[in-house]
Amino acid sequence: MMHLTQSRSAVTQRVDVPSPLRETWLNHSPCLSYSERQALEAVAVPAKRVQPHTDLLREGKRADHLFVITEGWACRYVMSRDGCRQLSALLLPGDIVNLDALSLTWQAYGVRMLTQASVVALPREQVLMLSAQHSGIAQTLLRTSLIENGTLSKWALCLGRLSAKERLAHLICELAVRIRAVDGKSVSFDFPLTQETLADALGLTPVHVNRMVRELRAEGLVEDAHRTITLPDVAALRRMASFDASYLHVNVHTSRVSN
Amino acid sequence: MMHLTQSRSAVTQRVDVPSPLRETWLNHSPCLSYSERQALEAVAVPAKRVQPHTDLLREGKRADHLFVITEGWACRYVMSRDGCRQLSALLLPGDIVNLDALSLTWQAYGVRMLTQASVVALPREQVLMLSAQHSGIAQTLLRTSLIENGTLSKWALCLGRLSAKERLAHLICELAVRIRAVDGKSVSFDFPLTQETLADALGLTPVHVNRMVRELRAEGLVEDAHRTITLPDVAALRRMASFDASYLHVNVHTSRVSN
DNA sequence: CGGGTCGTTGACACATTTCAAGTTTAGTGG
DNA sequence: CCACTAAACTTGAAATGTGTCAACGACCCG
């Protein structure tokens, strides 16, 4: 089984030229043929460097490019009238930043960089043309959007029905899976989120996030230092957050998730 | 302007045969040609009646049909471990129930009928074939998913950052627009949601929803009786919920939204 | 008429926010 | 290497929004 998938990916990755989308959603879709991959690569604008704490996109503006993160973290966010911020997505390497630019005329959210990052741009019009010509591309874009919907539904469940500590644990579990760090009992990975950013993702105050982080630390479920987080017992953390990774639809072939 | 849009819709609706998808998302998309509409109609299974309080789909199961609601209300929901329910969508006439059945292999949510309803079914495989052949169909499906995405993001903002009363008011405003009831200062429409259902949508307890409903009533923002709700001053309600309908992308041609 | 669902109420408990300090850490320039 | 600054993290006490529990009332339908 493992041999099979490995040889398959060896075949699909016979490109030696620099491939900006290699580690990307657009490249891991099960519905994408080799030629469709190449067509997408062909219209990609080479990666651009973006500074932390800057807005890649602003709410209400029109974007004529699709962006894909190849390195670094970002988030989608919206502001409420009284200045509160709520994140609607955390964007990790491989993620598409603004799929909706394809079909909607203005961004419903801003996108802020959380670390220094690299992004690849795909001209909107060209992607539209490609997706009209290649049904695999259209299917991939739809699939990506559907998976994002699933993630957002899960966030709604967390925001609406989980306690602060469970929410925090759940988010950490999600990130561990998405960053493909999960492969054993214990796990550690780069974690650039400030407690304030976590608060904006979880619908909490920074102060309370702090208290919950310390509780998780006290219970031995997380350790953190220097922007790195360690989960000594992933299974226990998952249990306390009632986390089930299936909603993420991570491609098991390209990660080391055991489950 | 009004003449123009009316004559246009007269052209696109030259069918006299029963059209199960007429008042449906799939039929209002700006990217759908007449022949594409017809192709979709052709594979539609005639409307089926569904009883209230029954599950149309169950979480984790595989669906081989796409369902479209033509009459009545339903909701998507997920359960948390301890039996709490959180809605991730309210489904109104015209809405597609389970778009993700197209591309994902199991439903991440259940769908429960909230009233007696009629649903049209579209065989999954046939829709997939059609969307591979007609780029307008693929585009429409993507667009629908993207709009759902925006709605979910807005729900996240509400759940994370709005007070109980604001959340309730916001949801009522959303429903008023989606049901196309908004056309003046005052508005009233059929409202079959119980306070318990509202609680599951808003991430609150039924008891607290009750208190918030009465507060809105006391402030003259809402009146309700016999499954009908009246909003005597929509503008005031919107203000208190900081509601802005643009995220819904309602098709202005087919509704009477003034904005 | 009776039973069930839905709405209403009050007293109390508790999770989370608010406010208002500190303290530590990371980054910068001398 | 140190001094200095800003950002991030900590901490405690008090305020408050929402949940919990438990009861009662209104309405619908068979």
Side-chain angles (χ1 to χ4, degrees):
Chain A
M1 172 61 185
M2 200 53 197
H3 282 114
L4 203 142
T5 62
Q6 279 188 333
S7 65
R8 182 169 158 274
S9 69
V11 170
T12 57
Q13 287 180 6
R14 49 185 137 126
V15 250
D16 290 308
V17 294
S19 162
L21 299 179
R22 179 163 336 195
E23 288 303 330
T24 275
W25 256 119
L26 286 175
N27 209 16
H28 286 151
S29 164
C31 6
L32 213 54
S33 74
Y34 178 66
S35 66
E36 288 168 338
R37 274 165 228 256
Q38 281 194 311
L40 279 171
E41 300 275 357
V43 302
V45 178
K48 188 181 73 174
R49 204 109 195 103
V50 199
Q51 289 311 306
H53 310 298
T54 60
D55 275 350
L56 180 62
L57 295 168
R58 239 180 268 272
E59 188 176 344
K61 297 291 177 63
R62 167 152 201 160
D64 49 1
H65 289 268
L66 242 55
F67 295 102
V68 179
I69 299 193
T70 56
E71 201 190 318
W73 290 34
C75 66
R76 295 204 268 254
Y77 69 94
V78 286
M79 305 294 297
S80 76
R81 184 182 36 179
D82 54 347
C84 279
R85 194 170 74 146
Q86 173 71 45
L87 307 195
S88 59
L90 282 167
L91 302 167
L92 272 44
D95 288 342
I96 301 175
V97 167
N98 58 333
L99 237 201
D100 42 2
L102 268 190
S103 179
L104 308 180
T105 40
W106 62 86
Q107 300 293 146
Y109 46 78
V111 172
R112 174 151 318 160
M113 309 313 297
L114 299 173
T115 68
Q116 184 156 71
S118 299
V119 302
V120 171
L122 301 163
R124 189 190 112 95
E125 294 304 330
Q126 305 221 41
V127 175
L128 277 178
M129 276 178 45
L130 287 178
S131 89
Q133 287 159 13
H134 304 277
S135 70
I137 293 181
Q139 244 186 293
T140 297
L141 296 174
L142 176 59
R143 184 183 164 85
T144 305
S145 175
L146 292 172
I147 291 175
E148 278 190 16
N149 277 0
T151 304
L152 274 164
S153 303
K154 189 61 91 170
W155 280 37
L157 175 66
C158 292
L159 288 167
R161 293 303 186 195
L162 263 45
S163 73
K165 206 202 298 191
E166 291 170 317
R167 266 182 260 180
L168 174 59
H170 198 280
L171 181 60
I172 295 172
C173 289
E174 177 182 316
L175 292 172
V177 171
R178 287 176 56 197
I179 209 124
R180 289 165 167 69
V182 178
D183 65 349
K185 179 174 188 297
S186 149
V187 151
S188 87
F189 55 98
D190 196 53
F191 194 83
L193 303 183
T194 69
Q195 293 181 354
E196 189 182 359
T197 307
L198 282 171
D200 288 338
L202 299 170
L204 298 169
T205 38
V207 177
H208 202 59
V209 168
N210 181 281
R211 289 194 257 259
M212 296 303 106
V213 169
R214 336 207 72 249
E215 282 194 25
L216 289 182
R217 276 207 286 255
E219 293 166 27
L221 292 172
V222 315
E223 298 162 12
D224 61 321
H226 324 301
R227 319 266 92 154
T228 295
I229 194 173
T230 303
L231 315 179
D233 186 349
V234 187
L237 191 67
R238 289 188 171 195
R239 226 174 300 123
M240 89 93 53
S242 45
F243 177 81
D244 168 4
S246 56
Y247 71 97
L248 292 170
H249 293 266
V250 286
N251 186 343
V252 183
H253 299 161
T254 62
S255 70
R256 291 163 305 167
V257 177
S258 50
N259 258 340
Chain B
M1 175 60 186
M2 199 52 195
H3 282 113
L4 202 142
T5 62
Q6 278 188 333
S7 65
R8 182 169 157 275
S9 69
V11 170
T12 55
Q13 288 180 6
R14 50 184 136 126
V15 249
D16 289 307
V17 295
S19 163
L21 300 178
R22 179 162 339 195
E23 288 303 329
T24 277
W25 255 120
L26 287 175
N27 210 17
H28 287 150
S29 164
C31 6
L32 214 54
S33 74
Y34 178 67
S35 67
E36 288 169 338
R37 274 163 228 257
Q38 280 195 312
L40 279 171
E41 299 276 356
V43 303
V45 177
K48 187 181 76 176
R49 205 103 195 108
V50 199
Q51 289 311 305
H53 310 298
T54 59
D55 275 350
L56 180 62
L57 296 169
R58 239 180 268 273
E59 186 177 344
K61 296 291 176 64
R62 167 152 202 160
D64 49 1
H65 289 268
L66 241 54
F67 294 103
V68 179
I69 298 192
T70 56
E71 200 189 320
W73 290 32
C75 66
R76 295 203 267 253
Y77 68 94
V78 286
M79 305 294 296
S80 76
R81 184 181 36 180
D82 55 347
C84 279
R85 195 169 74 145
Q86 173 69 47
L87 307 194
S88 60
L90 283 167
L91 302 167
L92 271 44
D95 288 341
I96 301 175
V97 167
N98 58 333
L99 237 202
D100 41 1
L102 267 190
S103 178
L104 308 181
T105 39
W106 62 87
Q107 300 293 147
Y109 46 78
V111 173
R112 173 149 321 159
M113 309 315 297
L114 299 173
T115 69
Q116 184 156 72
S118 298
V119 301
V120 172
L122 301 164
R124 187 189 112 96
E125 294 303 330
Q126 305 222 40
V127 176
L128 276 178
M129 275 178 46
L130 288 178
S131 89
Q133 286 159 13
H134 305 276
S135 70
I137 293 181
Q139 245 185 293
T140 298
L141 297 174
L142 176 59
R143 184 182 164 86
T144 305
S145 175
L146 292 172
I147 290 174
E148 278 190 15
N149 222 300
T151 305
L152 276 164
S153 303
K154 189 62 91 171
W155 279 37
L157 175 67
C158 292
L159 288 168
R161 294 302 187 196
L162 262 47
S163 73
K165 207 205 294 190
E166 290 170 316
R167 264 182 261 180
L168 174 60
H170 197 280
L171 181 60
I172 294 172
C173 290
E174 175 181 319
L175 292 172
V177 171
R178 287 176 56 196
I179 209 124
R180 287 161 168 69
V182 178
D183 66 348
K185 179 175 189 296
S186 149
V187 150
S188 88
F189 55 98
D190 195 53
F191 194 83
L193 303 183
T194 68
Q195 293 182 353
E196 189 181 359
T197 306
L198 282 171
D200 288 337
L202 300 170
L204 298 168
T205 41
V207 177
H208 202 59
V209 167
N210 182 283
R211 291 194 265 252
M212 297 301 107
V213 169
R214 335 205 75 248
E215 281 195 25
L216 288 183
R217 276 206 286 256
E219 293 166 25
L221 292 171
V222 162
E223 297 162 11
D224 61 320
H226 325 301
R227 320 265 91 155
T228 294
I229 195 172
T230 302
L231 314 179
D233 186 349
V234 186
L237 191 66
R238 288 186 172 198
R239 226 174 301 123
M240 89 93 57
S242 46
F243 177 81
D244 169 4
S246 56
Y247 71 96
L248 292 170
H249 292 265
V250 286
N251 186 343
V252 182
H253 298 160
T254 61
S255 69
R256 293 162 305 165
V257 176
S258 50
N259 258 339

